[in-house]
């Protein structure tokens, strides 16, 4: 609390002094220069001290500043006059120095070392700790502060997202926000250019203990990449902000049907000129999924019933790591470098029985598929960055260069055996092996510039260029006479290259009670997809403009309204363009579509806020060429095939309300309701017009109970109603989580006990909305898990502000991870 008060006061004082600044542009030259340093009783530099430059004759505030990491401050471009300098910080006696007269003979002064002494009254007996609310609604985003959440303990990032307000995650890890798919994922402000599968793997490899907050951005400004049909989810990882040497050690275990373990270590060393940081987290997770698929194939000769049941189980080992260095050249210039990545090794066995018959009550034959899988995912990302503050007015420039490399080595072995009703083998077992190695390389450079015209008017501008290269290979080897023989006809090599060049401008002005933000982003895309087996090449070159408009009006002390508009694009992720076939068994498979077009979305939103606490919004969006995952029951081949296709359009309407309440001193609650209606249309889909729509809603509610200063509890519940997604109708989802947290050893050690899906209710059920396509999918994962986690904090606890920065390759990495 003390640290936050200190930070907030420094920010407030700096803002007030800047707002009151009346720098006169007189005829005299503005060449004056005042510098100095602030130190404590031990002659150590003091950062974040509020420094105000006053006109000596009337104490009018001229400029404001905050001391740097070295305790220094500077005021330049000063006209001739006499000045005083005031120094203030909570817990210290204020100091005023001067006067300093700037004239032709004296244009530069240094105040030397200014000593600040602690106030005589100290709150030594009180330990005040500030805790952010679980849910924060900001002007342009909703922030889920999970750093201290009990229920995030031991969970992966994907499991945490399932419980985020307005967010839903399907059985395959695809993310929707306010009922719409097409979310762009960012990690620490950097887009990830990955496939859906790779995004799900990244989120499964990211331990919840490493996450500080999750930002939900439904209408991003032009500063962000235009990718993302329904907006952006930005996951902020923890970064130690303490001065000196410090860190944490984490260890935990969990149990559902199988055991789980996780551990982690963070390390930070912060000094005057540099900051070194790093962390590593490991988890081992054995899990299962039970699934059933019932479908009917209708032909002119009658019906064939397929009753598929079984599932898969396996072990996943995840290691993710991050390390970096920030070097403070001086007060205005900082350079940094970072390395992060993850390694996932896993194996699983899929065991599926498919009963085939002409009568739903009888079994004519059975297909038994036992398919072992082994895979390894490796990701390494490098970043080099620079940030420069060009003057005291707020002019800034930053630069980022990124390189990322994602590699997947995966091998599936398929064993298909057919048996009659008596369990006798009726045809030879078919066994084939399918290695599918994949490599994604991403290069990104970007620069951002901020120019303030005045205290209430500024322009942001920037350039960005990304280059993505993907190589995917599928190899089919048939087992014959105990020898693997390559099937050249079914093997393939698919390469995809993409270059996106972007430029943006974003203007913001505050006019009394009105805030206006106008932005325009241009993105030029060049892509080439090439299939070696089919000798098919798909080239695309297109230029798009993406405008954004944000208007916010303060009506009174308690009421605030806003209007916004944005245009966005969702490019197909790399795996959905890949034409390879992925088998579940001989009758069930999925396949990519290299001819997919990007989808475009125009979004409108109106919002109202009461006391900046109760927030509501009403939105509408229209998406053309919407990309949907379509499952087809092929009556001729009697197979169930899934692939991505472009439907004509999606019209989406949504209403959202968030109500945080403090019921008592020890009980607070955060509640979120999202109501949405999605209507999908296509003039032709498998020979007929297609329309599908449904009114749906989801509710999230979290209760936080402070039992005593060292013991707290959380209870969280969510409910997603039945909804429509593309050509599928999904059944409702709901669950309840509970947790306890106990602080020990002067709050250096925290013990957290958490139970997810307490009543074991989470189950995924979907069916086709296409006429004549009769199938039902039913899956139950291991979701009821009890976890115990301990976190120990060691080292210094003196707060040191860490700079926030976004890497340049977030969007590219997300699409690769998808």
């Amino acid at each position: 609390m003390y640290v936050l008060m200190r930070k907030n006061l420094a920010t407030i004082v700096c803002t007030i002094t800047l707002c009151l600044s009346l720098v006169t542009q007189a005829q005299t030259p503005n060449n004056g220069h005042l510098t100095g340093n602030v130190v404590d009783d031990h002659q150590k530099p003091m950062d974040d001290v509020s420094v105000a430059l006053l006109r000596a004759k009337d104490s009018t505030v001229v400029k404001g500043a905050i001391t740097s990491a070295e305790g220094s401050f500077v005021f330049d471009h000063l006209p001739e006059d006499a000045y005083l300098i005031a120094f203030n910080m909570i817990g210290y006696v204020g100091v005023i120095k001067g006067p300093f007269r700037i004239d032709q003979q004296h244009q530069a002064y240094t105040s030397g070392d200014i000593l600040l002494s602690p106030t005589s009254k100290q709150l030594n007996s009180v330990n005040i700790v500030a805790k952010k609310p679980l849910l924060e609604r900001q002007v342009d985003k909703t922030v889920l502060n999970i750093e201290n959440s009990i229920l995030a303990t031991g969970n992966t990032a994907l499991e945490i997202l399932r419980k985020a307000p307005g967010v839903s995650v399907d059985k395959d890890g695809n993310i929707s926000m306010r009922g719409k798919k097409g979310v762009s994922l960012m990690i620490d402000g950097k887009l990830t250019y990955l496939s859906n599968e790779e995004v799900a793997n990244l989120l499964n490899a990211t331990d919840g203990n490493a996450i500080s907050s999750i930002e939900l951005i439904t209408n991003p400004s032009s500063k962000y990449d235009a990718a993302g049909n329904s907006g952006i989810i930005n996951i902020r990882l923890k970064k130690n902000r303490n001065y000196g040497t410090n860190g944490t050690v984490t260890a935990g275990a969990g149990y559902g049907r199988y055991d789980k373990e996780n551990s982690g270590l963070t390390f930070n060393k912060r000094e005057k000129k540099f900051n070194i940081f790093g962390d590593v987290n490991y988890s081992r997770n054995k899990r299962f999924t039970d699934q059933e698929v019932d479908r009917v194939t209708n032909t002119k000769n009658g019906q064939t019933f397929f009753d598929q049941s079984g599932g898969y189980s396996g072990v996943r080992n995840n290691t993710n790591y991050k390390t970096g260095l920030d070097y403070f050249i001086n007060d205005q210039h900082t350079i940094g470098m970072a390395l992060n990545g993850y390694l996932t090794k896993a194996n699983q066995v899929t065991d599926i029985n498919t009963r085939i018959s002409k009568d739903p009550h009888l079994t004519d034959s059975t297909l038994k598929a036992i398919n072992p899988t082994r895979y390894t995912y490796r990701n390494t990302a490098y970043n080099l960055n620079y940030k420069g503050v060009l003057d005291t007015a707020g002019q800034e420039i930053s630069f980022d260069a990124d390189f990322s490399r994602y590699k997947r080595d995966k091998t599936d072995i398929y064993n298909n055996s057919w048996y009659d009703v008596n369990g006798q083998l009726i045809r030879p077992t078919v066994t084939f092996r399918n290695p599918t190695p994949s490599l994604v390389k991403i290069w990104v450079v970007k620069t951002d510039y901020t120019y303030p015209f005045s205290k209430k008017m500024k322009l942001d501008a920037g350039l960005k260029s990304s280059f993505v290269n993907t190589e995917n290979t599928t190899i089919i080897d048939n087992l014959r006479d105990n020898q693997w023989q390559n099937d050249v006809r079914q093997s393939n090599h698919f390469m995809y290259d993409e270059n996106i060049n972007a430029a943006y401008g974003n203007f913001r002005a505050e006019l009394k009670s009105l805030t206006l933000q106008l932005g325009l982003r241009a993105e030029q895309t060049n892509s080439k997809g090439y299939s070696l087996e089919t000798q098919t090449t798909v080239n695309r070159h297109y230029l798009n403009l993406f405008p954004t408009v944000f208007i916010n009006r303060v009506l009174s002390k308690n009421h605030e309204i806003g209007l916004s508009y944005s245009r966005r694009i969702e490019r197909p992720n790399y795996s959905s363009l890949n034409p390879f076939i992925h088998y579940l068994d001989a009758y069930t498979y999925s396949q990519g579509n290299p001819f997919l077009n990007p989808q475009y979305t125009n979004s409108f939103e109106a919002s109202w806020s009461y006391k900046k606490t109760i927030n509501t919004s009403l939105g509408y969006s229209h998406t053309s060429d919407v990309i949907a995952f379509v499952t087809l029951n092929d009556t001729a081949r009697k197979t169930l095939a899934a692939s991505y296709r472009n439907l004509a359009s999606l019209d989406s309407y949504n209403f959202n309300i968030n109500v945080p309440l403090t019921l008592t001193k020890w009980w607070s609650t955060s509640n979120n309701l999202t109501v949405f209606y999605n209507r999908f249309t296509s003039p032709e889909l498998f020979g007929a017009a297609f329309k599908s729509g449904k009114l749906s809603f989801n509710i999230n509610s979290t209760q936080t109970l402070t039992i005593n200063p060292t013991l707290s509890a959380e209870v969280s519940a969510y409910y997603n109603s039945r909804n429509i997604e593309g050509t599928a109708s999904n059944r409702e989802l709901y669950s309840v989580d509970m947790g306890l947290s106990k602080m020990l050893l002067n709050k250096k050690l925290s013990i957290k006990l958490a139970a997810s899906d307490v009543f074991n209710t989470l189950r995924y059920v979907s069916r086709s909305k296409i006429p004549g396509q009769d199938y039902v999918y039913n899956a139950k994962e291991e979701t009821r898990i009890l976890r115990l986690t301990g976190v120990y904090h060691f080292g210094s606890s003196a707060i040191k502000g860490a700079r926030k920065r976004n890497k340049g390759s977030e969007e590219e990495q997300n699409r690769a991870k998808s």
Side-chain angles (χ1 to χ4, degrees), residues 498-738:
E498 181 182 85
N499 163 232
I500 301 175
N501 303 301
Y504 78 89
N506 199 68
F507 174 78
R508 179 184 174 91
E510 297 179 25
L511 310 170
K512 294 185 178 179
S513 61
L514 182 70
T515 300
L516 176 66
Q517 183 171 294
L518 303 174
L520 181 65
R521 187 180 186 92
E523 292 191 352
Q524 191 253 341
T525 305
N526 307 288
S527 66
K528 177 183 178 181
Y530 175 68
S531 173
L532 183 64
E533 174 67 21
T534 62
Q535 296 292 302
T536 302
T537 301
V538 179
N539 283 300
R540 286 197 171 95
H541 307 278
Y542 50 92
L543 173 67
N544 298 121
L545 298 178
F546 302 97
T548 57
V549 179
F550 297 86
I551 302 172
N552 198 74
R553 178 71 181 268
V554 177
L555 301 178
S556 66
K557 180 182 177 180
N558 296 331
H559 299 275
E560 195 171 320
I561 60 173
L563 295 171
S564 65
Y565 162 77
S566 67
R567 182 173 189 255
R568 304 191 63 75
I569 185 175
E570 180 73 11
R571 300 176 181 88
N573 64 63
Y574 313 131
S575 66
S576 61
L577 294 168
N578 189 335
F580 300 166
I581 294 176
H582 176 73
Y583 290 95
L584 180 63
D585 60 28
Y587 293 104
T588 313
Y589 64 91
S590 62
Q591 185 175 17
N593 179 3
F595 301 102
L596 278 176
N597 293 315
Q599 64 182 27
Y600 295 89
T601 301
N602 289 279
S603 298
F604 304 83
E605 185 173 282
S607 62
W608 170 71
S609 175
Y610 176 68
K611 291 186 176 181
K612 295 187 181 295
T613 302
I614 299 176
N615 301 280
T616 65
S617 65
L618 183 65
Y620 165 75
S621 66
H622 175 80
T623 303
S624 58
D625 279 334
V626 60
I627 300 172
F629 194 59
V630 178
T631 302
L632 172 65
N633 196 353
D634 190 330
T635 57
R637 302 173 60 186
K638 297 184 178 181
T639 58
L640 192 65
S643 66
Y644 285 95
R645 292 175 180 261
N646 287 110
L647 304 183
S649 65
L650 162 64
D651 290 285
S652 181
Y653 306 81
N654 68 79
F655 169 78
N656 180 263
I657 181 169
N658 175 251
V659 183
L661 296 172
T662 301
L663 302 177
T664 68
K665 292 182 179 180
W666 52 271
W667 183 8
S668 63
T669 177
S670 178
N671 308 281
N672 190 89
L673 168 67
T674 301
V675 182
F676 57 93
Y677 176 79
N678 290 338
R679 183 177 67 229
F680 293 85
T681 59
S682 184
E684 194 280 327
L685 184 64
F686 306 128
F690 174 77
K691 285 186 179 181
S692 181
K694 187 175 183 60
L695 182 67
S696 307
F697 67 91
N698 56 50
I699 301 174
N700 297 75
S701 181
T702 299
Q703 317 298 316
T704 302
L705 310 174
T706 304
I707 301 169
N708 61 47
T710 62
L711 181 63
S712 60
E714 278 184 18
V715 180
S716 177
Y718 77 90
Y719 180 91
N720 294 343
S721 73
R722 294 174 182 261
N723 61 84
I724 298 294
E725 177 56 48
T727 62
S729 172
N730 301 314
R731 207 182 75 173
E732 64 274 2
L733 293 172
Y734 51 93
S735 78
V736 175
D737 300 343
M738 298 179 180

Side-chain angles (χ1 to χ4, degrees), residues 462-496:
L463 300 170
K464 178 178 178 180
S465 189
S466 66
F467 302 85
V468 180
N469 169 258
T470 70
E471 289 191 45
N472 301 274
T473 303
T474 184
I475 301 169
I476 300 294
D477 295 325
N478 296 310
L479 185 63
R480 293 173 181 165
D481 299 326
N482 293 322
Q483 297 289 327
W484 293 110
Q485 299 180 16
N486 181 243
D487 187 340
V488 179
R489 296 173 303 170
Q490 296 193 67
S491 300
N492 201 348
H493 189 93
F494 179 72
M495 293 164 286
Y496 181 80

Side-chain angles (χ1 to χ4, degrees), residues 247-251 264-266 744-745 747-750 790-795:
T248 62
V249 178
T250 302
L265 172 68
T266 68
L744 301 168
L745 303 180
K747 297 191 175 181
K748 284 186 173 293
L749 175 65
S750 65
V791 180
Y792 179 75
H793 299 262
F794 64 88

